[in-house]
Amino acid sequence: MSDITRSSLPEHVAIIMDGNGRWAKQRGLPRIMGHRRGVEAVRETVRAAGECGLKYLTLFAFSSENWRRPVSEVNDLLGLLKAFIRRDLADLHKENVRIRVIGDRDSLNDDISALLIEAEQTTRDNTALTLVIAFNYGSRDEIARAAASLARDVALGKIDVSAVTPDAITARLDTAGIPDPDLIIRTSGEERLSNFLLWQAAYSEFLFIPDYWPDFDRKTFFSAIDQYMTRDRRFGGLPDQVAVAGA
């Protein structure tokens, strides 16, 4: 990675980790092998994010639409999540990484919910990188839940309808308190958001790379950061207004 200053780094990078199955298929392997190699890419990326001083890293681990996949593959993915938390939680805690989970938890099995809660509670006071895991996450569902929460408060007379503002919606999203992503990366060459952080991505920079997720490594990550730092971010204003808008 090139020489950088703290002010030039993105504060928050989000990644759509795509291509595990295609990576495996190219090699004549079962899809689960691609997912397992993808977990290694997660570990390397988290380490790289910590090395460069990133404050927030969000990983799209399991979407609300992924339940439509074959039961065997869903079970494999859930098993990998459990294994990752059980194996890596102590190391992440030691590295001062805070874990935060976003997504709908109401429909999750108790064992999954318990692991997610344990990960969050164990690391809640850590102050280095915040690793945001988007699990059973869908952005439209997230926005709908935030809107419903505001609607209930309006109906109960707790707030006036005039209080339903963009800031009020932001405060009720799963990502409340987390800055919007500066950079969203998607691997595998696909160029779409796939229901990921739709509200939060209003002024994000996008980078679509051809590598399948299992091939994503620290070199690729640092290259993405370098590319981000060449972008001219205006936030809808003129160049001389960027510093104010992005403050």
Side-chain angles (χ1 to χ4, degrees), residues 26 29 103 113 116 119 151 162 167 171 186 192 198 207:
Q26 277 190 350
L29 300 171
S113 294
L116 299 180
S162 63
D167 285 345
R186 181 167 186 151
R192 56 181 178 273
L198 301 179
L207 182 60

Side-chain angles (χ1 to χ4, degrees), residues 7 16 19 22-23 36 48 74 94 99 110 115 125 130 137 141 144 152 157-158 170 185 197-198 206 215 234 241:
S7 62
I16 302 172
R22 280 166 285 170
W23 181 91
R36 287 176 180 170
V74 169
K94 184 178 179 180
I99 296 175
D110 290 344
L115 277 175
D125 295 324
T130 295
Y137 175 85
D141 171 72
R152 283 192 294 270
K158 293 182 178 180
T170 297
I185 302 167
L197 300 180
L198 301 179
F206 294 92
D215 291 326
R234 295 192 175 94
Q241 298 173 310

Side-chain angles (χ1 to χ4, degrees), residues 61-120:
F62 191 90
S63 79
S64 52
E65 290 78 25
N66 284 156
W67 297 107
R68 302 171 187 169
R69 295 188 178 188
V71 173
S72 60
E73 182 168 352
V74 169
N75 289 337
D76 286 339
L77 289 168
L78 296 180
L80 287 172
L81 174 72
K82 294 177 186 178
F84 175 78
I85 292 177
R86 289 168 178 155
R87 172 179 169 181
D88 292 74
L89 181 57
D91 288 339
L92 292 170
H93 186 39
K94 184 178 179 180
E95 295 298 322
N96 200 24
V97 173
R98 180 189 178 195
I99 296 175
R100 181 161 166 183
V101 182
I102 60 174
D104 182 12
R105 302 191 196 184
D106 290 344
S107 59
L108 298 179
N109 290 338
D110 290 344
D111 58 339
I112 293 288
S113 294
L115 277 175
L116 299 180
I117 291 170
E118 178 188 359
E120 289 184 312

Side-chain angles (χ1 to χ4, degrees), residues 84-239:
F84 175 78
I85 292 177
R86 289 168 178 155
R87 172 179 169 181
D88 292 74
L89 181 57
D91 288 339
L92 292 170
H93 186 39
K94 184 178 179 180
E95 295 298 322
N96 200 24
V97 173
R98 180 189 178 195
I99 296 175
R100 181 161 166 183
V101 182
I102 60 174
D104 182 12
R105 302 191 196 184
D106 290 344
S107 59
L108 298 179
N109 290 338
D110 290 344
D111 58 339
I112 293 288
S113 294
L115 277 175
L116 299 180
I117 291 170
E118 178 188 359
E120 289 184 312
Q121 291 185 344
T122 299
T123 63
R124 63 186 175 185
D125 295 324
N126 292 344
T127 57
L129 172 72
T130 295
L131 174 60
V132 184
I133 301 173
F135 183 80
N136 195 28
Y137 175 85
S139 189
R140 287 181 174 180
D141 171 72
E142 175 192 30
I143 294 168
R145 285 187 281 109
S149 174
L150 286 166
R152 283 192 294 270
D153 282 355
V154 170
L156 292 171
K158 293 182 178 180
I159 61 173
D160 187 77
V161 68
S162 63
V164 181
T165 63
D167 285 345
I169 294 173
T170 297
R172 302 210 184 195
L173 295 174
D174 296 348
T175 53
I178 298 173
D180 291 342
D182 301 294
L183 173 65
I184 296 178
I185 302 167
R186 181 167 186 151
T187 58
S188 86
E190 303 290 352
E191 298 185 3
R192 56 181 178 273
L193 279 176
S194 296
N195 201 18
F196 181 58
L197 300 180
L198 301 179
W199 180 276
Q200 299 88 338
Y203 282 102
S204 300
E205 296 293 319
F206 294 92
L207 182 60
F208 302 105
I209 64 175
D211 310 62
Y212 293 138
W213 175 247
D215 291 326
F216 194 93
D217 56 19
R218 65 191 307 277
K219 181 179 179 181
T220 313
F221 180 80
F222 290 149
S223 175
I225 299 299
D226 280 339
Q227 290 185 59
Y228 164 82
M229 290 189 295
T230 68
R231 304 284 179 92
D232 183 12
R233 304 186 73 199
R234 295 192 175 94
F235 299 93
L238 298 175

